Amino acid sequence: MGEYTVPKLDILGKCRNSVRNAKLHHKLTISHLLLCIIPLLVVTFIVSYLFANNIEQTSMEFASIYNSQVLNNIDDFVDEYDKIVKSILIDYDIIDDLGKESLFSMDELIRKRLTMQKLLKRIGALKPEIKSAMLISGRDMFYQHCNTNDSVNKSLILGQPWFKEILESEDSFTITPIHNSSYYEYKNEDVVFTIARTLLNTRGSYAGVLMIDFEFSNLIKLNRSFMEAKNKYDIKLVVETGAGDIVYHSDILDSSESWEELTKNGYKPLEDENDKDLVILSDSTKNGDLKVITIIPQENLLFRIRDFRYIIIIIIFLTFIIIVIVSAVLGHSITKPIGDLQKSMKLAEERQYSLITVSKRDDEIGHLINSYNNMIVKIKSLIEDVFMAEIKQRQAKLIALKTQINPHMLYNTLESIRMRAIVDNNYEVATMIKILSRMFKISLKEDNEQNL
């Protein structure tokens, strides 16, 4: 048995035949749709692509500017307070006296303490956002000034882990992570951070440490527009130390999370850097060894692209409907007269010659219908001419037949028959034959006159 091979389907040929055999109305509608929709889609895609890229670039520039503004804000804050804590270095005699409190008499010790209190009060008076200014000498002598009606417990300060980090730090200027204010007597539930300056005497040895406490919300001061942008785009701001500890977090400011939870969970924003749903920008400050991290949900940052895509979809949908309607109307205006012409031609095949009545058109279809109507009129005229010619031809043949008959022979024959009837005494037949002879004479005479 031979192998049966399935013939390959000529898909292209079938498609070509389908297109060739499709109705003209469908061809015109589809062609018009394709000619309008394809350029529309191409132009829309290019415009939306360029617009989306422009929005994305603008949004990233906005995020970068926002992060830079926050960074500059913190740099200004750090520079300002670095200068403030450096101002104490001018008083060399005060710094040299730190750690020597045991050598002074009671009166001298009281005067030194009053001098130090004035110095700290002067620092606290410079900025109202300063919560407290504290100084611990090399012999753990403690001086403080609070801008609020509060006081600090020295023993609790010495046991704080962040204080130990200040003492162990190699940098003379340090910014601590956020911590609670449990070492305060009253407002011990606030979240604060501390700026510290290690003090060295003229011999270069350790003399003490100056510390200034701030509520963590005072680290970043943004104007109204930036705060509105922060709320609008749900921007998260995080400030970390070089070790990765949190100094500022906007979620704590918004009360969405407590600082204990953030520090306990070891939250690291940069661990989400590969998350495609987030835009994360980070940069380091000039001083203070701080890292500023701005986190923006990409969906919020690029919401205009989403809205633009919805608008584009709606425009394409409405444009498609309008194009379909226009294509259908145009196609009908072209194919309807052609359809009427086709019907009239079928009627003409059945010898029913009728004219096409359409509104006046000055296009090719109008000229074609006018030509068809003129042709029908000429066909009718030709048919009438042929019909009349055929009638005349038949009349001529009849006349020719009549002229072929010899009237004299007919008269002689009838007269012979009449005489025979008289011989047989059949007068009635003879009379009838005589009348018939006269009728033939009259008839032939009239025909001859008409032909003449």
Side-chain angles (χ1 to χ4, degrees):
M1 295 179 63
E3 294 183 357
Y4 175 74
T5 57
V6 180
K8 294 182 178 179
L9 297 176
D10 188 3
I11 299 177
L12 185 60
K14 286 189 175 183
C15 293
R16 191 183 297 111
N17 291 333
S18 300
V19 172
R20 186 185 298 114
N21 297 328
K23 291 185 177 180
L24 181 61
H25 177 72
H26 295 162
K27 291 180 181 179
L28 291 175
T29 302
I30 293 174
S31 300
H32 189 263
L33 285 175
L34 292 176
L35 290 175
C36 294
I37 292 296
I38 291 177
L40 175 65
L41 292 177
V42 172
V43 172
T44 303
F45 175 78
I46 295 174
V47 172
S48 61
Y49 176 78
L50 295 176
F51 184 78
N53 283 346
N54 186 33
I55 290 180
E56 185 174 359
Q57 184 178 358
T58 304
S59 301
M60 293 303 296
E61 289 176 357
F62 162 76
S64 180
I65 292 172
Y66 194 94
N67 188 73
S68 298
Q69 177 64 28
V70 174
L71 187 67
N72 293 334
N73 192 290
I74 295 176
D75 278 332
D76 293 340
F77 179 89
V78 173
D79 288 341
E80 182 177 11
Y81 282 95
D82 185 33
K83 293 176 181 178
I84 291 174
V85 295
K86 279 182 179 178
S87 64
I88 197 174
L89 299 177
I90 300 174
D91 300 319
Y92 300 109
D93 53 342
I94 296 176
I95 297 175
D96 284 338
D97 289 340
L98 294 176
K100 300 178 182 179
E101 290 84 357
S102 60
L103 302 177
F104 299 137
S105 64
M106 183 59 65
D107 292 338
E108 290 177 335
L109 187 60
I110 292 173
R111 286 196 300 270
K112 295 292 184 183
R113 179 173 290 276
L114 290 175
T115 303
M116 189 60 67
Q117 290 294 124
K118 289 181 181 179
L119 178 62
L120 295 178
K121 187 175 181 180
R122 186 184 64 190
I123 292 175
L126 291 174
K127 294 291 181 179
E129 62 264 22
I130 293 177
K131 186 176 179 66
S132 66
M134 301 168 285
L135 191 148
I136 299 178
S137 69
R139 292 185 178 272
D140 295 338
M141 289 296 293
F142 184 68
Y143 309 92
Q144 65 169 309
H145 169 76
C146 294
N147 281 338
T148 59
N149 295 325
D150 208 341
S151 61
V152 178
N153 189 321
K154 170 191 169 184
S155 60
L156 294 178
I157 283 281
L158 298 178
Q160 294 292 323
W162 54 266
F163 179 72
K164 295 178 180 179
E165 291 179 1
I166 292 174
L167 297 178
E168 295 172 357
S169 176
E170 297 179 357
D171 298 326
S172 60
F173 182 81
T174 309
I175 298 178
T176 68
I178 54 175
H179 49 270
N180 61 17
S181 55
S182 58
Y183 47 90
Y184 285 86
E185 295 292 340
Y186 301 108
K187 296 183 179 180
N188 53 13
E189 294 181 356
D190 294 339
V191 180
V192 298
F193 70 95
T194 304
I195 289 180
R197 163 71 69 178
T198 302
L199 304 177
L200 302 177
N201 55 32
T202 55
R203 297 181 300 275
S205 59
Y206 173 76
V209 58
L210 174 65
M211 297 177 293
I212 302 176
D213 274 358
F214 301 88
E215 291 187 4
F216 86 100
S217 58
N218 291 319
L219 178 61
I220 299 176
K221 295 290 186 180
L222 297 176
N223 58 31
R224 183 178 177 181
S225 60
F226 274 83
M227 289 302 297
E228 291 176 352
K230 174 183 175 298
N231 297 329
K232 179 179 181 180
Y233 296 103
D234 191 21
I235 299 174
K236 289 184 180 181
L237 294 176
V238 182
V239 181
E240 294 181 345
T241 63
D245 297 318
I246 297 175
V247 179
Y248 178 94
H249 200 297
S250 57
D251 284 352
I252 303 175
L253 186 63
D254 299 336
S255 299
S256 58
E257 284 194 70
S258 65
W259 74 274
E260 293 93 344
E261 292 176 351
L262 286 173
T263 54
K264 180 178 64 177
N265 297 332
Y267 176 70
K268 299 294 183 183
L270 293 182
E271 290 180 358
D272 299 330
E273 192 170 1
N274 294 327
D275 192 344
K276 295 182 180 179
D277 296 332
L278 297 175
V279 175
I280 301 178
L281 301 175
S282 64
D283 204 349
S284 299
T285 59
K286 298 177 182 177
N287 298 318
D289 191 24
L290 297 179
K291 180 178 290 185
V292 178
I293 303 169
T294 303
I295 305 171
I296 309 176
Q298 193 173 36
E299 182 180 1
N300 296 347
L301 186 62
L302 304 179
F303 74 96
R304 287 190 179 89
I305 296 179
R306 182 181 65 250
D307 296 342
F308 176 74
R309 287 172 179 168
Y310 291 153
I311 294 173
I312 287 295
I313 292 173
I314 294 173
I315 292 175
I316 291 176
F317 178 74
L318 294 178
T319 306
F320 179 78
I321 293 176
I322 294 173
I323 291 175
V324 169
I325 295 174
V326 172
S327 299
V329 172
L330 289 177
H332 184 268
S333 65
I334 295 174
T335 57
K336 178 64 169 57
I338 295 176
D340 295 340
L341 180 61
Q342 184 182 11
K343 292 178 182 179
S344 297
M345 293 180 71
K346 287 184 178 180
L347 292 175
E349 292 177 359
E350 299 174 358
R351 298 184 180 181
Q352 298 180 16
Y353 304 101
S354 59
L355 300 178
I356 300 175
T357 56
V358 294
S359 58
K360 188 176 180 180
R361 302 177 56 143
D362 197 23
D363 56 359
E364 290 80 358
I365 294 178
H367 295 324
L368 180 62
I369 292 175
N370 291 332
S371 299
Y372 174 80
N373 288 337
N374 293 333
M375 182 185 69
I376 292 298
V377 171
K378 289 182 180 180
I379 289 175
K380 285 183 177 181
S381 177
L382 290 174
I383 289 175
E384 290 177 358
D385 293 343
V386 171
F387 180 74
M388 293 302 298
E390 186 177 356
I391 291 176
K392 289 180 180 181
Q393 184 179 7
R394 290 182 179 181
Q395 288 178 348
K397 288 182 179 180
L398 180 61
I399 293 172
L401 290 174
K402 286 181 179 180
T403 55
Q404 289 179 2
I405 300 175
N406 191 342
H408 297 287
M409 182 184 66
L410 180 61
Y411 296 151
N412 293 335
T413 302
L414 290 176
E415 186 64 22
S416 299
I417 295 172
R418 187 178 72 83
M419 292 302 296
R420 183 67 181 176
I422 292 173
V423 173
D424 294 337
N425 298 320
N426 194 345
Y427 296 103
E428 184 178 0
V429 173
T431 302
M432 292 175 65
I433 291 173
K434 185 176 179 180
I435 293 171
L436 179 61
S437 176
R438 289 180 180 177
M439 289 177 63
F440 272 118
K441 286 182 180 180
I442 293 171
S443 176
L444 290 175
K445 184 177 179 181
E446 291 178 353
D447 292 337
N448 290 331
E449 288 177 357
Q450 289 178 358
N451 291 329
L452 293 174

